[in-house]
Amino acid sequence: MIKALVRFKKGILDENPIFSQAIALCPVLAVTTTVNNGIGLGVATLSVLFASAMVVCFIRRFISDRVRIPCFIVISATFTTVVQLLMEAFLPALNDSLGIFIPLIVVNCLILARMESFAAKNPPLTVAFDSLGMGLGFTLALTLIGAVREVMGFGTVFGITVIPEAIPRNILMILPPGGFFVLGFLIVGLRALKRKGA
Amino acid sequence: MERPRYTVTATPHIRASDSIERTMYYVLIALAPAAVMGVVFFGLRALAVIGISIASAVIFEALYQKLTRKPVTVKDGSAVITGLLLAMTLPPALPLWMPVIGSFAAIVLVKQLFGGLGHNFLNPALAGRAILMAAYASPMTVAFYTPNVWGSVDAVTSATPLLLMESGVFTPSAPDFLASFAGNIGGSIGETAAFALLAGGLFLLVKKVITWHIPVSFIASAGVLAFLLNPGGVSGGIALYHILAGGLLLGAFFMATDYPTSPVTPVGKVIFGAGCGVITMVIRLYGGYPEGVAYAILLMNLAVPLIDRYTRPRVLGIKKRGA
């Protein structure tokens, strides 16, 4: 139990997929132009990650080592399809703004990495907390980046205007280069905070 | 054992009196006339943009070096020049907080994060301008106004000659050449006064701060292309106007010649300058933007390592491969 909780915390803080491991950056930079997009993609990835990791954890003894990667992909593709159909049905607007990046969750390297390096080797409870922690860490990172870019690029948060209309918007922030700048500065800031705390 | 009467040291034994401070000082002197002409024609507003740009560049440099516990080197004048160059590429009616963002991009993103003076991979001032252009496209393209000696408050917003040429409603006539030579035209703060820029460029050449290769090949290639490719037929007048208008002289003498972002060998410099001229004219004549000097120099900055690699001089006594 203790080990499981440690994994949960590490996924969010010390081993945060975005800020510490810097993996799965393509969707992060592409869609985090608003808070809503960030939360949406984060939660979608979290659900696929959790479900796939649990399945891998339970059926791993039936998967031959040689074909494990194709099996992992099939499993995550199954859950991605579920998530996409649910989104299309209940959140069509979000689905439209995330576009191709929902189906691309299948090949998200965070999910593959957790399945390969953790879910296939650890007991179910630890795997559950690990994938929840990683997924939450991913979601929080996307939300944070999305918030910064939405405030600077659109002057809004959750679509509510927070910067007066008269001030020109910084269009660069909602272009992909802006995503790199924001990510870089957030990593610098978090590392500085961490060093201070340590 | 008796001490020798001479000092024994490692090479080099002969030193030039050049120093970073001295070089920067010369560049400042050379830039001054054009900046002063900008203030004369565009008024106190232009002075404010210049002041804020320089001050913020210096402050960002000092702040970054303090935060990263590096020696603070704002006294070498390089941040002052970056701030001044940035301001000279900005339209005079720009909101006054925008130069601060430009300086941040120039000093922190492009210069300091890559290692400080001499390690920047792009010209910092131009990168600052390009980032402002990407972030605030509309203020950056409409904040020009007609020159108004000692600038009155109700200056009229107007398009620059290059903007008019882009939309095809303007053919320069004789008075326009004179105005452009003096700087009495719309444009960015420090790019309009052709005579002041030429004087500053000549000063740098005489003081051997820069060599002739880059400015001459830049201006010549742009001029030849403007002469040959003018949409209204071959025209020497249009070619001359393309050289005088816009940021070509400012870019050719003061920005393309930046040491860390230009090639080392004379041949490399000529290739670099010609490339700048070609890209400038392609953007001006066929691209969506009226002006291409900034992007031309930035693109060629990125090509510098490649140019240096292929123009590396032969080492004495070693045959070229394949020769």
Side-chain angles (χ1 to χ4, degrees):
Chain A
M1 189 64 203
I2 303 242
K3 200 193 168 198
L5 283 176
V6 167
R7 291 306 313 160
F8 182 73
K9 199 180 141 210
K10 282 213 160 168
I12 298 175
L13 299 172
D14 291 351
E15 293 173 21
N16 186 296
I18 304 299
F19 295 135
S20 294
Q21 301 183 48
I23 56 173
L25 293 183
C26 169
V28 173
L29 297 167
V31 302
T32 54
T33 49
T34 64
V35 190
N36 277 337
N37 279 0
I39 297 178
L41 189 74
V43 172
T45 311
L46 167 67
S47 347
V48 176
L49 172 60
F50 179 71
S52 317
M54 290 321 290
V55 170
V56 167
C57 180
F58 284 120
I59 67 168
R60 62 188 171 204
R61 75 182 85 156
F62 308 111
I63 300 175
S64 154
D65 229 26
R66 286 190 192 163
V67 293
R68 64 184 195 287
I69 300 288
C71 290
F72 294 163
I73 297 273
V74 170
I75 293 167
S76 72
T78 311
F79 289 109
T80 305
T81 313
V82 173
V83 166
Q84 178 162 35
L85 291 176
L86 285 173
M87 270 206 171
E88 265 177 35
F90 297 105
L91 297 164
L94 185 63
N95 186 55
D96 284 348
S97 66
L98 293 181
I100 184 69
F101 290 98
I102 292 292
L104 279 179
I105 292 176
V106 175
V107 286
N108 188 308
C109 58
L110 169 64
I111 294 177
L112 269 183
R114 288 339 282 173
M115 290 197 284
E116 165 82 5
S117 69
F118 204 85
K121 294 170 192 158
N122 288 286
L125 190 68
T126 324
V127 170
F129 276 96
D130 175 74
S131 55
L132 278 179
M134 286 288 165
L136 224 67
F138 187 75
T139 310
L140 286 176
L142 261 70
T143 311
L144 195 57
I145 299 172
V148 174
R149 291 176 74 187
E150 187 175 345
V151 169
M152 295 175 87
F154 293 109
T156 60
V157 177
F158 290 111
I160 301 159
T161 308
V162 291
I163 293 179
E165 298 282 346
I167 295 172
R169 303 302 189 226
N170 188 334
I171 305 163
L172 186 65
M173 281 300 146
I174 48 181
L175 299 173
F180 277 106
F181 289 142
V182 172
L183 178 63
F185 278 105
L186 281 177
I187 292 177
V188 170
L190 290 175
R191 287 182 69 102
L193 273 182
K194 203 168 162 187
R195 191 179 291 177
K196 225 173 210 172
Chain B
M1 199 175 92
E2 206 178 321
R3 257 174 94 105
R5 306 258 301 271
Y6 43 83
T7 354
V8 182
T9 59
T11 53
H13 301 297
I14 304 172
R15 290 166 192 275
S17 55
D18 288 347
S19 66
I20 295 175
E21 288 80 4
R22 203 161 120 145
T23 305
M24 297 295 165
Y25 188 52
Y26 282 145
V27 176
L28 267 183
I29 294 176
L31 278 171
V36 169
M37 290 314 285
V39 175
V40 167
F41 283 116
F42 299 116
L44 291 176
R45 178 83 198 181
L47 189 63
V49 172
I50 294 177
I52 289 175
S53 183
I54 294 178
S56 55
V58 171
I59 290 171
F60 280 131
E61 175 134 312
L63 216 61
Y64 182 92
Q65 289 175 330
K66 270 253 151 63
L67 280 176
T68 53
R69 299 192 183 88
K70 285 180 183 164
V72 176
T73 58
V74 290
K75 275 192 193 148
D76 68 14
S78 64
V80 175
I81 288 179
T82 300
L84 179 60
L85 277 176
L86 172 68
M88 290 173 80
T89 67
L90 297 176
L94 201 68
L96 289 177
W97 51 270
M98 280 189 192
V100 180
I101 294 186
S103 288
F104 177 80
I107 296 291
V108 177
L109 291 185
V110 176
K111 187 178 169 195
Q112 291 298 345
L113 283 182
F114 284 85
L117 186 67
H119 297 278
N120 46 305
F121 72 115
L122 292 172
N123 182 304
L126 283 178
R129 182 198 142 83
I131 282 184
L132 280 181
M133 194 72 188
Y136 304 104
S138 137
M140 283 291 287
T141 41
V142 299
F144 295 105
Y145 53 79
T146 44
N148 188 332
V149 179
W150 302 116
S152 81
V153 199
D154 21 81
V156 192
T157 310
S158 80
T160 63
L162 280 177
L163 260 171
L164 295 173
M165 276 164 91
E166 173 93 356
S167 46
V169 293
F170 176 71
T171 325
S173 58
D176 294 320
F177 285 98
L178 207 63
S180 187
F181 193 66
N184 194 10
I185 50 169
S188 297
I189 294 171
E191 68 177 22
T192 57
F195 79 94
L197 290 168
L198 281 172
L202 284 178
F203 175 75
L204 288 186
L205 280 172
V206 169
K207 287 289 175 190
K208 293 189 177 149
V209 174
I210 59 174
T211 60
W212 59 270
H213 305 85
I214 293 175
V216 168
S217 57
F218 193 162
I219 294 168
S221 63
V224 168
L225 279 188
F227 176 71
L228 293 175
L229 300 176
N230 178 40
V234 173
S235 157
I238 292 278
L240 184 61
Y241 201 74
H242 265 293
I243 292 173
L244 291 177
L248 203 142
L249 291 175
L250 179 63
F253 282 110
F254 296 98
M255 289 167 173
T257 51
D258 183 26
Y259 296 145
T261 55
S262 60
V264 179
T265 62
V267 179
K269 284 178 178 168
V270 170
I271 297 173
F272 175 84
C276 288
V278 170
I279 299 175
T280 299
M281 285 323 293
V282 167
I283 295 178
R284 278 192 188 175
L285 296 174
Y286 306 110
Y289 288 113
E291 173 62 305
V293 171
Y295 295 113
I297 297 175
L298 288 174
L299 282 170
M300 290 310 288
N301 282 166
L302 296 178
V304 165
L306 193 71
I307 296 174
D308 270 341
R309 191 186 160 134
Y310 285 104
T311 55
R312 197 163 12 179
R314 192 173 63 90
V315 177
L316 188 68
I318 292 181
K319 272 188 185 158
K320 253 191 187 159
R321 253 193 305 174

